Amino acid sequence: MPTIRPVRSASGSHREVPSVVDVCVVGSFMADLVVRAPRRPAAGETVKGTSFATYLGGKGFNQAIAAARSGASTAMVGALGDDEHGLLFRSALALDGVAADGVLSIPDEGTGIAFPLVEDDGQNSIVIVPRANDALTPAHIEALRGVLGAAVVLLQLELPVPTVVAAAAAAKRAGATVILNPAPAVPSLADFAGLVDIVVPNEGEASLLTGQRVGLANAASVARTLCSDLGAWGAVITLGERGALVLDRGDVVHVEAHTVSAVDTVGAGDAFCGALAAELAAGATLIEAAHYANGAGALATTRAGAEPSMPTRAEIEGLVAPLDHSVPDERVS
Ligand code: RIB
């Protein structure tokens, strides 16, 4: 029977070097040009929108801010353009205390841009134009590997895949716990085999990776498949309104969603990943960390925009009840 187990160390791996920070995020910066509309247009159709706003976003940046707001000492590695948005991102990192020694400015290039469309029910669809993010190469990662000395290294897929693979390899060599959030969705993670400890896809990403429709009913077996393909020991499949399914080595737990009034889901998955990384770096088990991160993801949907919706530890702890280790979970087989 699936059971919530007591605390154990977040990573069984041996560390070669002391951690410089708790969490290092290697990832993207995107200025989000957000449009709200009753629904997304069909091909060839024009729909009248109801509002427009610009926010700082990008999966990497959002996750770094989320980790920092959960109290983790946090660093970011990434690439900004030579423009006003680049300066705004640097100020925002400094405001939340995120170390930016590993953030490059690319001459004559623009900062990444995203075009999220948020529908009236809060759901979103996004087009990204990576621009400066695409200039970050494996050679840069090699040169910056000193700043990768973190207990937890958190990765997504808005940077070029070879760059993310190089970051995973460098982090693994340094003994970090490597978390991969495979977003945006890709059909295969074969290049990451042996380089990832924990994989955190949503339902859509897990579906593309495994070639089957993923929901709560099959999430545990999908999580096992993803772990086995990657050589990872943990997986969390986020399931939106159905919460999250956690595989922590042999243990499987379904974490139920919180009931909140969602206004904008942009960045909810990033809030989850950043909070998860911060909790793991603080010594939580994956199940404990997912329980906490589930609160972060829920809170992020209650506010508009990416960066403004990343919650603080105090806000998350105000929502999430302490985990009861004595209660077995019978909902998932
Ligand atoms: O995950 C949300 C983020 O994805 C947005 O901030 C947008 O920039 C896109 O990259």
Coordinates of all heavy atoms in Angstrom, one line a residue, residues 133-235:
N133 N 18.3 33.9 -25.3 CA 18.3 32.5 -24.6 C 19.0 31.5 -25.5 O 19.7 30.6 -25.1 CB 16.9 32.0 -24.3 CG 16.2 32.9 -23.3 OD1 16.6 32.9 -22.1 ND2 15.2 33.6 -23.7
D134 N 18.8 31.7 -26.8 CA 19.4 30.7 -27.8 C 20.9 30.9 -27.9 O 21.6 30.0 -28.6 CB 18.8 30.8 -29.2 CG 17.5 30.0 -29.3 OD1 17.3 29.1 -28.4 OD2 16.8 30.1 -30.3
A135 N 21.5 32.0 -27.4 CA 22.9 32.2 -27.5 C 23.7 31.5 -26.4 O 25.0 31.5 -26.4 CB 23.2 33.7 -27.5
L136 N 23.1 30.9 -25.4 CA 23.8 30.3 -24.3 C 24.2 28.9 -24.8 O 23.3 28.0 -25.1 CB 22.9 30.2 -23.1 CG 23.7 29.9 -21.8 CD1 24.4 31.1 -21.3 CD2 22.7 29.4 -20.7
T137 N 25.5 28.6 -24.9 CA 26.0 27.4 -25.5 C 26.6 26.4 -24.4 O 26.9 26.9 -23.3 CB 27.1 27.7 -26.5 OG1 28.2 28.3 -25.7 CG2 26.7 28.7 -27.5
P138 N 26.8 25.2 -24.8 CA 27.6 24.3 -23.8 C 28.9 24.8 -23.4 O 29.4 24.6 -22.3 CB 27.7 23.0 -24.7 CG 26.5 23.0 -25.6 CD 26.3 24.4 -26.0
A139 N 29.6 25.6 -24.3 CA 30.9 26.2 -24.0 C 30.7 27.2 -22.9 O 31.5 27.3 -21.9 CB 31.5 26.9 -25.2
H140 N 29.6 28.0 -22.9 CA 29.3 28.9 -21.8 C 29.1 28.1 -20.5 O 29.6 28.5 -19.4 CB 28.1 29.7 -22.1 CG 28.2 30.8 -23.1 ND1 27.4 30.9 -24.2 CD2 29.1 31.8 -23.2 CE1 27.8 31.9 -25.0 NE2 28.8 32.5 -24.4
I141 N 28.4 27.0 -20.6 CA 28.2 26.3 -19.3 C 29.5 25.7 -18.8 O 29.7 25.8 -17.6 CB 27.2 25.1 -19.7 CG1 25.9 25.6 -20.1 CG2 27.1 24.1 -18.5 CD1 25.1 26.3 -19.1
E142 N 30.4 25.3 -19.7 CA 31.7 24.8 -19.2 C 32.4 25.9 -18.5 O 33.0 25.7 -17.4 CB 32.4 24.3 -20.4 CG 33.6 23.3 -20.2 CD 33.3 22.2 -19.2 OE1 32.1 21.7 -19.2 OE2 34.2 21.9 -18.4
A143 N 32.4 27.1 -19.1 CA 33.1 28.3 -18.5 C 32.5 28.7 -17.2 O 33.2 29.2 -16.3 CB 33.1 29.4 -19.5
L144 N 31.2 28.5 -17.0 CA 30.4 29.0 -15.9 C 30.3 27.9 -14.8 O 29.6 28.1 -13.8 CB 29.0 29.5 -16.3 CG 29.0 30.7 -17.1 CD1 27.6 30.9 -17.7 CD2 29.3 31.9 -16.2
R145 N 30.9 26.7 -15.0 CA 30.5 25.6 -14.1 C 30.8 25.9 -12.7 O 30.1 25.3 -11.8 CB 31.1 24.3 -14.6 CG 32.6 24.2 -14.4 CD 33.1 22.8 -14.9 NE 34.5 22.6 -14.6 CZ 35.5 23.1 -15.3 NH1 35.3 23.9 -16.4 NH2 36.8 22.8 -15.0
G146 N 31.7 26.8 -12.4 CA 31.9 27.2 -11.0 C 30.7 27.7 -10.3 O 30.4 27.4 -9.1
V147 N 29.8 28.4 -11.0 CA 28.6 28.9 -10.4 C 27.5 27.9 -10.3 O 26.4 28.1 -9.8 CB 28.0 30.2 -11.1 CG1 29.0 31.3 -11.1 CG2 27.6 29.9 -12.5
L148 N 27.8 26.7 -10.9 CA 26.8 25.6 -10.8 C 26.9 24.8 -9.4 O 26.2 23.8 -9.2 CB 26.9 24.6 -11.9 CG 26.4 25.1 -13.3 CD1 26.9 24.2 -14.4 CD2 24.9 25.1 -13.3
G149 N 27.8 25.2 -8.6 CA 28.0 24.5 -7.3 C 26.8 24.7 -6.4 O 26.9 25.5 -5.4
A150 N 25.8 24.0 -6.6 CA 24.6 24.1 -5.8 C 24.1 22.8 -5.3 O 24.5 21.7 -5.8 CB 23.4 24.7 -6.6
A151 N 23.4 22.8 -4.2 CA 22.8 21.5 -3.7 C 21.8 20.9 -4.7 O 21.8 19.7 -4.9 CB 22.1 21.7 -2.3
V152 N 21.0 21.8 -5.3 CA 20.0 21.4 -6.3 C 20.2 22.2 -7.5 O 20.3 23.5 -7.4 CB 18.6 21.6 -5.7 CG1 17.6 21.3 -6.8 CG2 18.4 20.7 -4.5
V153 N 20.3 21.6 -8.7 CA 20.3 22.4 -9.9 C 19.0 22.1 -10.7 O 18.6 20.9 -10.9 CB 21.5 22.0 -10.8 CG1 21.5 22.6 -12.2 CG2 22.8 22.5 -10.1
L154 N 18.3 23.1 -11.1 CA 17.0 23.1 -11.6 C 17.0 23.5 -13.1 O 17.5 24.6 -13.4 CB 16.1 24.0 -10.8 CG 14.6 24.1 -11.2 CD1 13.9 22.8 -11.3 CD2 13.9 25.0 -10.1
L155 N 16.5 22.6 -14.0 CA 16.6 22.9 -15.4 C 15.2 22.8 -16.1 O 14.4 22.0 -15.7 CB 17.5 21.8 -16.1 CG 18.9 21.6 -15.4 CD1 19.5 20.3 -15.9 CD2 19.8 22.8 -15.7
Q156 N 15.1 23.5 -17.2 CA 13.9 23.4 -18.1 C 14.4 23.3 -19.5 O 15.6 23.2 -19.7 CB 13.0 24.6 -17.9 CG 12.8 25.2 -16.5 CD 14.1 26.0 -16.1 OE1 14.7 26.6 -17.0 NE2 14.4 26.0 -14.8
L157 N 13.5 23.4 -20.5 CA 13.9 23.3 -21.9 C 13.6 24.5 -22.8 O 13.4 24.3 -23.9 CB 13.2 22.0 -22.5 CG 13.6 20.7 -21.8 CD1 12.8 19.5 -22.4 CD2 15.1 20.4 -21.9
E158 N 13.7 25.7 -22.2 CA 13.6 26.9 -23.0 C 14.9 27.4 -23.5 O 15.0 28.3 -24.4 CB 12.8 28.0 -22.3 CG 11.3 27.7 -22.2 CD 10.5 28.8 -21.6 OE1 11.0 29.6 -20.8 OE2 9.3 28.9 -21.9
L159 N 16.0 26.8 -23.0 CA 17.3 27.0 -23.6 C 17.6 25.9 -24.6 O 16.9 24.9 -24.7 CB 18.4 26.9 -22.5 CG 18.4 27.9 -21.4 CD1 19.4 27.6 -20.3 CD2 18.5 29.3 -21.9
P160 N 18.6 26.1 -25.5 CA 18.9 25.0 -26.5 C 19.2 23.7 -25.7 O 19.9 23.7 -24.7 CB 20.2 25.5 -27.2 CG 20.1 27.0 -27.0 CD 19.5 27.3 -25.7
V161 N 18.6 22.6 -26.2 CA 18.8 21.3 -25.5 C 20.2 20.9 -25.2 O 20.6 20.5 -24.1 CB 18.0 20.2 -26.2 CG1 18.3 18.8 -25.6 CG2 16.5 20.5 -26.1
P162 N 21.2 21.1 -26.2 CA 22.6 20.7 -25.9 C 23.1 21.5 -24.7 O 24.0 21.0 -23.9 CB 23.3 21.1 -27.1 CG 22.3 21.0 -28.2 CD 21.0 21.5 -27.6
T163 N 22.7 22.7 -24.5 CA 23.1 23.6 -23.4 C 22.6 23.0 -22.1 O 23.3 22.9 -21.1 CB 22.6 25.0 -23.6 OG1 23.1 25.5 -24.9 CG2 23.1 25.9 -22.5
V164 N 21.3 22.6 -22.1 CA 20.7 22.0 -20.9 C 21.3 20.7 -20.5 O 21.6 20.4 -19.4 CB 19.2 21.9 -21.1 CG1 18.5 21.5 -19.7 CG2 18.5 23.2 -21.5
V165 N 21.7 19.9 -21.5 CA 22.3 18.6 -21.3 C 23.7 18.9 -20.7 O 24.1 18.2 -19.7 CB 22.5 17.8 -22.6 CG1 23.4 16.6 -22.4 CG2 21.1 17.4 -23.1
A166 N 24.4 19.9 -21.2 CA 25.8 20.2 -20.6 C 25.6 20.7 -19.2 O 26.5 20.3 -18.3 CB 26.4 21.3 -21.5
A167 N 24.6 21.4 -18.9 CA 24.4 21.9 -17.5 C 24.0 20.7 -16.6 O 24.5 20.6 -15.4 CB 23.2 22.9 -17.4
A168 N 23.2 19.7 -17.1 CA 22.9 18.5 -16.3 C 24.2 17.7 -16.0 O 24.4 17.3 -14.9 CB 21.9 17.7 -17.0
A169 N 25.0 17.6 -17.0 CA 26.2 16.8 -16.9 C 27.2 17.5 -15.8 O 27.7 16.8 -15.0 CB 26.9 16.6 -18.2
A170 N 27.3 18.8 -15.9 CA 28.2 19.5 -15.0 C 27.7 19.4 -13.6 O 28.5 19.2 -12.6 CB 28.3 21.0 -15.5
A171 N 26.4 19.6 -13.5 CA 25.8 19.5 -12.1 C 25.9 18.2 -11.5 O 26.2 18.0 -10.3 CB 24.3 19.9 -12.2
K172 N 25.7 17.1 -12.3 CA 25.8 15.8 -11.9 C 27.3 15.5 -11.4 O 27.5 14.9 -10.3 CB 25.5 14.8 -13.0 CG 25.1 13.4 -12.6 CD 23.8 13.4 -12.0 CE 23.4 11.9 -11.7 NZ 22.4 11.8 -10.6
R173 N 28.2 15.9 -12.2 CA 29.7 15.8 -11.8 C 30.0 16.4 -10.5 O 30.8 15.9 -9.7 CB 30.6 16.4 -12.9 CG 30.9 15.5 -14.1 CD 32.1 16.0 -14.9 NE 32.0 17.4 -15.3 CZ 31.4 17.8 -16.4 NH1 30.9 16.9 -17.2 NH2 31.4 19.1 -16.7
A174 N 29.3 17.6 -10.2 CA 29.6 18.3 -9.0 C 28.8 17.7 -7.8 O 28.9 18.2 -6.7 CB 29.2 19.8 -9.2
G175 N 28.0 16.7 -8.1 CA 27.3 16.0 -7.0 C 25.9 16.7 -6.6 O 25.4 16.4 -5.5
A176 N 25.4 17.6 -7.4 CA 24.1 18.2 -7.1 C 23.0 17.2 -7.4 O 23.1 16.3 -8.1 CB 23.9 19.4 -8.0
T177 N 21.8 17.5 -6.8 CA 20.6 16.9 -7.1 C 20.1 17.6 -8.3 O 19.8 18.8 -8.3 CB 19.6 16.9 -6.0 OG1 20.1 16.2 -4.9 CG2 18.2 16.4 -6.4
V178 N 19.9 16.9 -9.5 CA 19.5 17.5 -10.7 C 18.0 17.3 -11.0 O 17.5 16.2 -11.0 CB 20.3 17.0 -11.9 CG1 19.9 17.6 -13.2 CG2 21.8 17.2 -11.7
I179 N 17.2 18.4 -11.1 CA 15.8 18.3 -11.4 C 15.6 18.9 -12.8 O 16.1 19.9 -13.1 CB 15.0 19.2 -10.4 CG1 15.2 18.9 -9.0 CG2 13.5 19.1 -10.7 CD1 14.5 19.8 -8.0
L180 N 14.9 18.1 -13.6 CA 14.5 18.5 -15.0 C 13.0 18.7 -15.1 O 12.3 17.7 -14.9 CB 15.0 17.5 -16.0 CG 14.6 17.8 -17.5 CD1 15.2 19.1 -17.9 CD2 15.0 16.7 -18.4
N181 N 12.6 19.9 -15.4 CA 11.2 20.2 -15.8 C 11.2 20.2 -17.3 O 11.6 21.2 -17.9 CB 10.9 21.6 -15.1 CG 9.5 22.2 -15.6 OD1 9.4 23.4 -15.8 ND2 8.5 21.3 -15.7
P182 N 10.7 19.2 -17.9 CA 10.8 19.1 -19.4 C 9.8 19.9 -20.1 O 8.9 19.4 -20.8 CB 10.6 17.6 -19.7 CG 9.8 17.1 -18.6 CD 10.0 18.0 -17.4
A183 N 9.9 21.2 -20.0 CA 8.9 22.2 -20.5 C 9.7 23.3 -21.3 O 10.7 23.8 -20.7 CB 8.1 22.8 -19.4
P184 N 9.2 23.6 -22.5 CA 8.1 23.1 -23.3 C 8.3 21.6 -23.6 O 9.4 21.1 -23.6 CB 8.1 23.9 -24.5 CG 9.0 25.1 -24.3 CD 10.0 24.7 -23.3
A185 N 7.2 21.0 -23.9 CA 7.2 19.5 -24.2 C 8.1 19.1 -25.3 O 8.2 19.8 -26.3 CB 5.7 19.1 -24.5
V186 N 8.7 18.0 -25.1 CA 9.5 17.4 -26.2 C 9.2 15.9 -26.3 O 8.7 15.3 -25.3 CB 11.0 17.5 -25.9 CG1 11.5 18.9 -26.0 CG2 11.4 17.0 -24.5
P187 N 9.4 15.2 -27.4 CA 9.0 13.8 -27.6 C 10.0 12.8 -26.9 O 9.7 11.7 -26.6 CB 9.0 13.6 -29.1 CG 9.8 14.7 -29.7 CD 9.8 15.8 -28.7
S188 N 11.2 13.3 -26.6 CA 12.2 12.4 -26.0 C 13.2 13.1 -25.1 O 13.6 14.2 -25.4 CB 13.0 11.7 -27.1 OG 14.1 11.0 -26.6
L189 N 13.6 12.4 -24.0 CA 14.6 12.9 -23.1 C 15.9 12.0 -23.2 O 16.7 12.0 -22.2 CB 14.1 13.0 -21.7 CG 12.9 14.0 -21.5 CD1 12.4 13.9 -20.0 CD2 13.4 15.4 -21.8
A190 N 16.1 11.3 -24.3 CA 17.2 10.4 -24.4 C 18.5 11.0 -24.1 O 19.4 10.4 -23.4 CB 17.2 9.7 -25.7
D191 N 18.7 12.2 -24.4 CA 20.0 12.9 -24.2 C 20.3 13.1 -22.7 O 21.4 13.4 -22.4 CB 20.1 14.3 -24.9 CG 20.1 14.1 -26.4 OD1 20.3 13.0 -26.9 OD2 19.8 15.2 -27.1
F192 N 19.3 13.0 -21.9 CA 19.5 13.3 -20.5 C 19.6 12.0 -19.7 O 19.7 12.0 -18.4 CB 18.2 14.0 -19.9 CG 18.2 15.5 -20.4 CD1 17.4 15.8 -21.5 CD2 18.8 16.5 -19.7 CE1 17.4 17.1 -22.0 CE2 18.8 17.8 -20.2 CZ 18.0 18.1 -21.3
A193 N 19.7 10.8 -20.3 CA 19.8 9.6 -19.6 C 21.0 9.6 -18.7 O 22.1 9.9 -19.1 CB 19.8 8.4 -20.6
G194 N 20.8 9.2 -17.4 CA 21.9 9.2 -16.5 C 22.3 10.5 -15.8 O 23.2 10.6 -15.0
L195 N 21.6 11.6 -16.3 CA 22.0 12.9 -15.8 C 21.0 13.6 -14.9 O 21.2 14.7 -14.4 CB 22.3 13.8 -17.0 CG 23.3 13.4 -18.0 CD1 23.4 14.4 -19.2 CD2 24.7 13.2 -17.3
V196 N 19.9 12.9 -14.7 CA 18.8 13.6 -13.9 C 18.4 12.7 -12.7 O 18.3 11.5 -12.8 CB 17.5 13.7 -14.9 CG1 16.3 14.2 -14.1 CG2 17.9 14.7 -16.0
D197 N 18.1 13.4 -11.6 CA 17.6 12.7 -10.4 C 16.1 12.7 -10.3 O 15.5 11.7 -9.9 CB 18.2 13.4 -9.1 CG 19.7 13.2 -9.1 OD1 20.1 12.1 -8.8 OD2 20.4 14.2 -9.3
I198 N 15.5 13.9 -10.7 CA 14.1 14.0 -10.5 C 13.5 14.7 -11.8 O 14.0 15.7 -12.2 CB 13.7 14.9 -9.3 CG1 14.3 14.3 -8.0 CG2 12.2 15.0 -9.1 CD1 14.3 15.3 -6.8
V199 N 12.5 14.1 -12.3 CA 11.8 14.7 -13.5 C 10.4 15.2 -13.1 O 9.7 14.5 -12.4 CB 11.8 13.7 -14.7 CG1 11.0 12.5 -14.4 CG2 11.3 14.4 -16.0
V200 N 10.1 16.4 -13.6 CA 8.8 17.0 -13.2 C 8.0 17.6 -14.4 O 8.1 18.8 -14.7 CB 9.1 18.2 -12.2 CG1 7.7 18.7 -11.6 CG2 10.0 17.8 -11.1
P201 N 7.3 16.7 -15.1 CA 6.5 17.1 -16.2 C 5.1 17.4 -15.8 O 4.6 16.9 -14.7 CB 6.5 15.9 -17.2 CG 6.6 14.7 -16.2 CD 7.4 15.2 -15.0
N202 N 4.3 18.1 -16.6 CA 2.9 18.2 -16.4 C 2.3 17.0 -17.3 O 3.0 16.3 -17.9 CB 2.3 19.6 -16.7 CG 2.4 20.0 -18.2 OD1 2.6 19.1 -19.0 ND2 2.3 21.2 -18.5
E203 N 0.9 17.0 -17.2 CA 0.3 15.9 -18.0 C 0.6 15.9 -19.4 O 0.9 14.8 -20.0 CB -1.3 16.0 -17.8 CG -1.8 15.8 -16.5 CD -3.2 16.4 -16.3 OE1 -3.2 17.6 -16.2 OE2 -4.2 15.7 -16.3
G204 N 0.6 17.1 -20.1 CA 0.8 17.2 -21.5 C 2.2 16.8 -21.8 O 2.4 16.1 -22.8
E205 N 3.2 17.2 -21.0 CA 4.6 16.9 -21.3 C 4.8 15.4 -21.1 O 5.5 14.7 -21.9 CB 5.5 17.7 -20.4 CG 5.5 19.2 -20.7 CD 5.6 20.1 -19.6 OE1 5.9 19.7 -18.4 OE2 5.5 21.3 -19.8
A206 N 4.2 14.8 -20.1 CA 4.3 13.4 -19.8 C 3.7 12.6 -21.0 O 4.2 11.5 -21.4 CB 3.7 13.0 -18.5
S207 N 2.6 13.1 -21.5 CA 1.9 12.4 -22.6 C 2.8 12.4 -23.8 O 2.9 11.3 -24.5 CB 0.6 13.1 -22.9 OG -0.3 13.1 -21.8
L208 N 3.4 13.5 -24.2 CA 4.2 13.5 -25.4 C 5.4 12.6 -25.2 O 5.9 11.9 -26.1 CB 4.7 15.0 -25.7 CG 5.4 15.1 -27.0 CD1 4.6 14.8 -28.2 CD2 5.9 16.6 -27.2
L209 N 6.0 12.6 -24.0 CA 7.2 11.8 -23.7 C 6.9 10.3 -23.8 O 7.8 9.5 -24.2 CB 7.8 12.1 -22.3 CG 8.5 13.4 -22.2 CD1 8.8 13.8 -20.8 CD2 9.8 13.3 -23.0
T210 N 5.7 9.9 -23.4 CA 5.4 8.4 -23.3 C 4.5 7.9 -24.4 O 4.2 6.7 -24.5 CB 4.7 8.1 -21.9 OG1 3.6 8.9 -21.8 CG2 5.7 8.4 -20.8
G211 N 3.9 8.9 -25.2 CA 3.0 8.4 -26.3 C 1.7 7.9 -25.8 O 1.0 7.2 -26.5
Q212 N 1.3 8.3 -24.6 CA 0.0 7.9 -24.1 C -0.6 9.0 -23.4 O 0.1 9.9 -22.8 CB 0.1 6.7 -23.2 CG 1.0 6.9 -22.0 CD 1.1 5.6 -21.1 OE1 0.2 5.0 -20.7 NE2 2.4 5.2 -21.0
R213 N -2.0 9.1 -23.4 CA -2.7 10.1 -22.6 C -2.5 9.9 -21.1 O -2.8 8.8 -20.6 CB -4.2 10.0 -23.0 CG -4.9 11.3 -22.6 CD -6.4 11.1 -23.0 NE -7.2 12.1 -22.4 CZ -7.4 13.3 -22.9 NH1 -6.9 13.6 -24.0 NH2 -8.2 14.1 -22.2
V214 N -2.0 10.9 -20.4 CA -1.7 10.8 -19.0 C -2.7 11.5 -18.2 O -3.1 12.6 -18.4 CB -0.2 11.3 -18.7 CG1 0.1 11.3 -17.2 CG2 0.8 10.5 -19.5
G215 N -3.2 10.8 -17.1 CA -4.1 11.3 -16.1 C -3.8 10.6 -14.8 O -2.8 9.8 -14.7
L216 N -4.6 10.9 -13.8 CA -4.3 10.4 -12.5 C -4.2 8.8 -12.5 O -3.4 8.2 -11.8 CB -5.3 10.9 -11.5 CG -5.2 10.4 -10.0 CD1 -3.8 10.7 -9.5 CD2 -6.3 11.0 -9.1
A217 N -5.1 8.2 -13.3 CA -5.3 6.8 -13.3 C -4.0 6.1 -13.7 O -3.6 5.0 -13.1 CB -6.4 6.4 -14.2
N218 N -3.2 6.6 -14.6 CA -2.0 5.9 -15.1 C -0.7 6.7 -14.7 O 0.4 6.3 -15.2 CB -2.0 5.7 -16.6 CG -2.1 7.0 -17.4 OD1 -2.2 8.1 -16.9 ND2 -1.9 6.8 -18.7
A219 N -0.8 7.8 -13.9 CA 0.3 8.6 -13.6 C 1.4 7.8 -12.9 O 2.6 8.1 -13.1 CB -0.1 9.8 -12.8
A220 N 1.1 6.9 -12.0 CA 2.1 6.2 -11.3 C 3.0 5.3 -12.2 O 4.2 5.3 -12.1 CB 1.5 5.3 -10.2
S221 N 2.3 4.6 -13.2 CA 3.1 3.8 -14.1 C 3.9 4.6 -15.0 O 5.0 4.3 -15.4 CB 2.2 2.8 -14.8 OG 1.5 3.4 -15.8
V222 N 3.3 5.8 -15.4 CA 4.0 6.7 -16.3 C 5.3 7.2 -15.6 O 6.4 7.3 -16.1 CB 3.1 7.9 -16.8 CG1 3.9 9.0 -17.4 CG2 2.1 7.3 -17.8
A223 N 5.1 7.6 -14.3 CA 6.2 8.1 -13.5 C 7.4 7.0 -13.4 O 8.5 7.4 -13.6 CB 5.8 8.5 -12.1
R224 N 7.0 5.8 -13.2 CA 8.0 4.7 -13.2 C 8.7 4.6 -14.5 O 9.9 4.4 -14.6 CB 7.3 3.4 -12.8 CG 6.9 3.3 -11.4 CD 6.5 1.9 -11.0 NE 5.8 1.9 -9.7 CZ 4.5 2.0 -9.5 NH1 3.7 1.9 -10.5 NH2 4.0 2.0 -8.3
T225 N 7.9 4.7 -15.6 CA 8.6 4.6 -16.9 C 9.5 5.7 -17.2 O 10.7 5.5 -17.6 CB 7.5 4.6 -18.0 OG1 6.6 3.6 -17.8 CG2 8.0 4.5 -19.4
L226 N 9.1 6.9 -16.8 CA 10.0 8.1 -17.0 C 11.3 7.9 -16.2 O 12.4 8.2 -16.7 CB 9.3 9.4 -16.6 CG 8.2 9.8 -17.5 CD1 7.4 11.0 -17.0 CD2 8.7 10.2 -18.9
C227 N 11.1 7.5 -14.9 CA 12.3 7.3 -14.1 C 13.2 6.2 -14.7 O 14.5 6.4 -14.7 CB 11.9 6.9 -12.7 SG 11.4 8.3 -11.7
S228 N 12.6 5.1 -15.1 CA 13.5 4.0 -15.6 C 14.2 4.5 -16.9 O 15.4 4.2 -17.1 CB 12.6 2.8 -15.8 OG 12.9 2.1 -16.9
D229 N 13.5 5.2 -17.8 CA 14.2 5.7 -19.0 C 15.3 6.6 -18.8 O 16.3 6.6 -19.5 CB 13.1 6.4 -19.9 CG 12.1 5.4 -20.5 OD1 12.3 4.2 -20.4 OD2 11.1 5.9 -21.2
L230 N 15.1 7.5 -17.7 CA 16.1 8.5 -17.4 C 17.2 8.1 -16.5 O 18.2 8.7 -16.3 CB 15.4 9.7 -16.8 CG 14.9 10.8 -17.7 CD1 14.0 11.8 -16.9 CD2 16.0 11.5 -18.4
G231 N 16.9 6.9 -15.8 CA 17.8 6.6 -14.7 C 17.7 7.5 -13.5 O 18.6 7.7 -12.7
A232 N 16.4 8.1 -13.4 CA 16.1 9.0 -12.3 C 15.6 8.2 -11.1 O 15.1 7.1 -11.2 CB 15.1 10.1 -12.7
W233 N 15.6 8.8 -9.9 CA 15.0 8.1 -8.7 C 13.7 8.8 -8.3 O 13.0 8.2 -7.4 CB 16.0 8.1 -7.5 CG 16.5 9.4 -7.0 CD1 17.7 10.0 -7.3 CD2 15.8 10.3 -6.1 NE1 17.8 11.2 -6.6 CE2 16.6 11.4 -5.9 CE3 14.6 10.3 -5.5 CZ2 16.3 12.5 -5.1 CZ3 14.2 11.4 -4.7 CH2 15.1 12.5 -4.5
G234 N 13.4 9.9 -8.9 CA 12.1 10.5 -8.5 C 11.4 11.2 -9.7 O 12.0 11.6 -10.7
A235 N 10.1 11.2 -9.6 CA 9.3 11.9 -10.6 C 8.1 12.5 -9.9 O 7.5 12.0 -9.0 CB 8.8 10.9 -11.7

